[in-house]
Amino acid sequence: MWRLLGASMYDTDNIGTSRVFGLKSMKSLLLAVLMVSMSLSVGLVELNKAPWLVEDGESELGEADTPMYTTAPSITYSSSTLALSNNTAMTPLTVTNSGGALGIPMAIDSGSVNQYLSMVLDSDGYKHVSFYNALEKDLYYSTDASGAWVNLSVDTEGWVGSYESIAVDSEDGVHIAYYGTKNDAGAFSKDLKYATCASSCGSSSSWSNITIDATGEVGLQTSIAVDSNDALHISYLDLTNDELKYATCASSCGSASSWSDVSIGGIGAGIMQTAIAIDSNDDVHIVYTDLPSGTSDYVVNYTTCSSSCSSTSSWTTTTDIHPDVDVRQLSIAIDSNDALHIATFASNSREVYYGRCATLCTSSSSWSNVSVDSHTSATFFGQNPSISVDSNNNPHIVYRGIDPTGSTTNSALAYATCTSSCLFHSSSWLILTADGRGGAAWGTSIAVNQGNNSVHIVYVLSGMDGDDIYYLS
């Protein structure tokens, strides 16, 4: 990085009237101005590069036990103009990074990883990642709780692990909801499954799993959350009946009999994705995409429940809370004031949207949305959005962005954040290319440490030698 350390110009009135000295002085002045201008220009280009941009991923990748930076960078500038005047010292450009050092992507798993992956942070800031191994057709789990990344299989019975979602409880126990396609006998099961581990989760023997719901074809598009009493809540798709379903368990959740489930309903012909969050009052909030009957475009619906949630009548559903049609993917987060934040991918317009509702969210007019980023010519742009909020309630979103090479059929990992006026206009958002290698962001998940506001991202990088999971902070 180029850095301007400073410069000064001196009074030439007392040097003399000699023509030689005057010419030398003028040449020196012009040379100084030229050098400063070039340094500043190059420096600004370098400073405005995405902090996480990788130009040579193969040479910059760290090993699995390389410590990563835990605090996000926070760069500010002072003296944004360079003042040049006679007999006046030049004002240098000062760059201040009040945050942490800049991180680089690090491979945590190499193999045939599908787009399904999910990450959560525990109370100590350690990362927990669930993902589907498409080659082995198993559910896998990764963590750095021991100080180094460990990868292991959690469920290998039949064909399992897609559409997974992960959460941790107040004791840092790990919980994963996922879809079971086939059983060990090779027969289609198509059910909702659940895996859990209370401690020593870096060992496969510490895990247990059960089937929660096996009625029809269920368990796709799962999303799991834990409330303040460590009760578990799962939203998922009932493909047989084209309905949204909800399952919950208050205790002894390793036993299938401890779970109850209910059909919440749907307004049309099918549900594409679900996302669940729990507020400080333990009210349940679910957003999902639904296809109204007789249409070809998915809309975003919202449903909530404050008590007796195992009864369909306890749920209140609000339809079409989003301005754009054909929303195929979404993610939800909830802040310290219980405001809801969503990130969505609009397929028709190739846009990433941000939405928020602070109160009275059962009224569609209480929801506000803004287009954060769009590229209509890019085939995969905007897919796989994931959202998290920091302790200041600022949103952070990752998604499939534009390939820096200009390819419209490839993608990169994009990151967007905003600190104020986030619903006003896309110009309020800072958008960066976090990993510019083609094939990045086939799957994404983001989490923010509420203790220090450090940002943590996992994503799938698709390449010639397989689809690998990378971690970035």
Side-chain angles (χ1 to χ4, degrees):
M1 179 177 294
W2 290 83
R3 184 173 57 177
L4 184 61
L5 297 176
S8 62
M9 286 178 279
Y10 301 95
D11 187 355
T12 59
D13 290 346
N14 297 320
I15 293 180
T17 59
S18 169
R19 180 179 180 86
V20 175
F21 284 114
L23 289 173
K24 287 184 176 180
S25 178
M26 181 60 69
K27 289 180 179 179
S28 298
L29 174 61
L30 292 175
L31 181 59
V33 172
L34 179 61
M35 293 179 65
V36 168
S37 177
M38 292 175 62
S39 297
L40 179 59
S41 175
V42 175
L44 286 175
V45 169
E46 290 298 308
L47 290 170
N48 285 326
K49 287 176 63 177
W52 297 310
L53 183 61
V54 175
E55 296 176 349
D56 182 2
E58 295 300 324
S59 64
E60 292 187 350
L61 288 177
E63 297 298 328
D65 58 354
T66 301
M68 295 298 292
Y69 303 111
T70 58
T71 304
S74 178
I75 299 176
T76 57
Y77 308 91
S78 61
S79 298
S80 58
T81 60
L82 186 65
L84 287 175
S85 59
N86 190 30
N87 302 325
T88 303
M90 182 176 65
T91 304
L93 177 71
T94 302
V95 182
T96 303
N97 180 9
S98 59
L102 306 180
I104 60 172
M106 177 179 64
I108 64 174
D109 180 84
S110 298
S112 295
V113 180
N114 203 287
Q115 69 185 77
Y116 308 112
L117 81 165
S118 178
M119 177 178 63
V120 68
L121 306 180
D122 65 25
S123 62
D124 295 314
Y126 291 118
K127 280 74 69 179
H128 303 265
V129 182
S130 60
F131 62 95
Y132 170 60
N133 187 309
L135 179 63
E136 299 178 9
K137 294 181 171 56
D138 294 332
L139 175 67
Y140 267 68
Y141 164 79
S142 290
T143 184
D144 67 343
S146 64
W149 284 97
V150 175
N151 306 308
L152 59 127
S153 59
V154 170
D155 188 353
T156 60
E157 298 177 0
W159 178 356
V160 294
S162 58
Y163 302 104
E164 44 65 42
S165 179
I166 193 168
V168 295
D169 59 37
S170 63
E171 300 295 326
D172 291 337
V174 185
H175 309 269
I176 305 174
Y178 58 103
Y179 178 62
T181 306
K182 290 183 178 181
N183 58 26
D184 249 357
F188 282 103
S189 52
K190 301 178 181 179
D191 45 26
L192 173 65
K193 301 197 71 176
Y194 163 74
T196 186
C197 170
S199 62
S200 302
C201 298
S203 172
S204 294
S205 60
S206 299
W207 288 84
S208 62
N209 65 81
I210 60 169
T211 297
I212 295 176
D213 187 357
T215 305
E217 186 172 354
V218 294
L220 296 90
Q221 307 295 351
T222 69
S223 182
I224 190 170
V226 183
D227 68 26
S228 63
N229 296 310
D230 286 341
L232 304 178
H233 308 261
I234 302 173
S235 61
Y236 58 103
L237 169 62
D238 176 354
L239 190 59
T240 301
N241 298 299
D242 288 327
E243 289 186 325
L244 174 68
K245 292 195 76 173
Y246 163 80
T248 187
C249 171
S251 61
S252 303
C253 298
S255 172
S257 61
S258 299
W259 288 82
S260 60
D261 60 77
V262 62
S263 293
I264 299 175
I267 66 170
I271 295 173
M272 179 64 71
Q273 192 167 17
T274 78
I276 193 169
I278 312 296
D279 66 25
S280 62
N281 298 310
D282 289 338
D283 293 347
V284 185
H285 306 267
I286 302 173
V287 289
Y288 61 102
T289 59
D290 201 358
L291 183 65
S293 299
T295 68
S296 59
D297 294 328
Y298 285 81
V299 300
V300 180
N301 296 339
Y302 163 73
T303 189
T304 185
C305 172
S306 58
S307 62
S308 303
C309 296
S310 294
S311 172
T312 302
S313 61
S314 298
W315 291 84
T316 302
T317 301
T318 304
T319 61
D320 202 5
I321 64 170
H322 195 280
D324 204 308
V325 294
D326 207 27
V327 175
R328 299 299 184 99
Q329 297 169 335
L330 48 72
S331 177
I332 190 171
I334 193 162
D335 68 28
S336 61
N337 295 320
D338 288 340
L340 303 177
H341 304 250
I342 62 172
T344 57
F345 160 62
S347 178
N348 282 347
S349 57
R350 292 290 187 269
E351 287 183 278
V352 175
Y353 273 83
Y354 165 71
R356 186 174 68 197
C357 176
T359 59
L360 304 175
C361 297
T362 53
S363 171
S364 58
S365 61
S366 297
W367 289 84
S368 299
N369 299 269
V370 66
S371 174
V372 173
D373 198 3
S374 64
H375 286 278
T376 56
S377 61
T379 304
F380 302 109
F381 182 84
Q383 292 182 3
N384 308 321
S386 178
I387 190 170
S388 185
V389 293
D390 60 33
S391 64
N392 297 313
N393 299 331
N394 298 320
H396 302 259
I397 303 173
V398 288
Y399 53 96
R400 295 185 78 172
I402 287 293
D403 188 330
T405 66
S407 170
T408 59
T409 58
N410 215 332
S411 64
L413 176 68
Y415 164 81
T417 188
C418 175
T419 58
S420 64
S421 303
C422 300
L423 292 166
F424 176 69
H425 193 268
S426 59
S427 60
S428 300
W429 288 75
L430 170 67
I431 299 173
L432 304 172
T433 299
D435 189 338
R437 291 172 292 175
W442 179 242
T444 70
S445 185
I446 188 171
V448 179
N449 188 317
Q450 299 300 299
N452 59 17
N453 286 335
S454 56
V455 178
H456 305 263
I457 304 168
V458 291
Y459 57 102
V460 177
L461 177 68
S462 181
M464 296 295 293
D465 58 347
D467 300 333
D468 305 329
I469 295 180
Y470 281 78
Y471 164 70
L472 182 63
S473 70

